[in-house]
């Protein structure tokens, strides 16, 4: 199965609602690698790497987020996979 990498920026009420912890758990459950972090502007940014169907599913899930979140938008852009990244972590 083809492996892809996507950078995602999630806007809305996504900080202070356990979005990063939820995203890490969801990504790990789906076998993805990458990271998630809060941005100074109140958004959440993530790097998602793995099988294309799993990455697409994770992007859809991020559009809903955890229960306390109120997601406005998820913007994505394809990027090159980083073979140095192992696992999925919360950074920053």
């Amino acid at each position: 199965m083809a492996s892809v990498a996507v950078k995602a920026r999630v806007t809305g009420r996504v900080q202070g609602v356990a979005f990063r912890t939820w995203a890490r758990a969801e990504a790990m459950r789906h076998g993805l690698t990458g990271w998630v972090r809060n941005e100074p502007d109140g958004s959440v940014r993530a790097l998602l790497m793995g099988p294309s169907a799993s990455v697409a599913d994770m992007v859809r899930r991020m559009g809903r987020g955890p229960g306390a979140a109120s997601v406005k938008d998820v913007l994505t852009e394809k990027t090159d996979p980083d073979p140095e990244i192992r696992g999925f972590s919360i950074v920053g």
Side-chain angles (χ1 to χ4, degrees):
M1 188 171 305
S3 187
V4 299
V6 169
K7 287 182 180 175
R9 180 173 176 262
V10 186
T11 59
R13 189 167 58 112
V14 293
Q15 289 190 16
V17 294
F19 196 98
R20 293 175 301 160
T21 301
W22 170 86
R24 180 181 62 189
E26 287 293 306
M28 291 172 66
R29 192 162 65 88
H30 288 87
L32 300 179
T33 57
W35 49 260
V36 62
R37 70 175 180 227
N38 283 342
E39 293 291 313
D41 66 0
S43 67
V44 169
R45 180 153 324 253
L47 173 64
L48 309 168
M49 298 185 297
S52 57
S54 296
V55 169
D57 186 50
M58 183 65 188
V59 169
R60 280 191 296 275
R61 290 174 182 277
M62 290 178 88
R64 293 187 301 272
S70 178
V71 176
K72 179 180 178 185
D73 200 8
V74 181
L75 303 172
T76 61
E77 64 178 285
K78 289 185 178 184
T79 189
D80 293 325
D82 183 342
E84 301 295 315
I85 295 178
R86 304 279 184 253
F88 198 94
S89 59
I90 297 173
V91 297

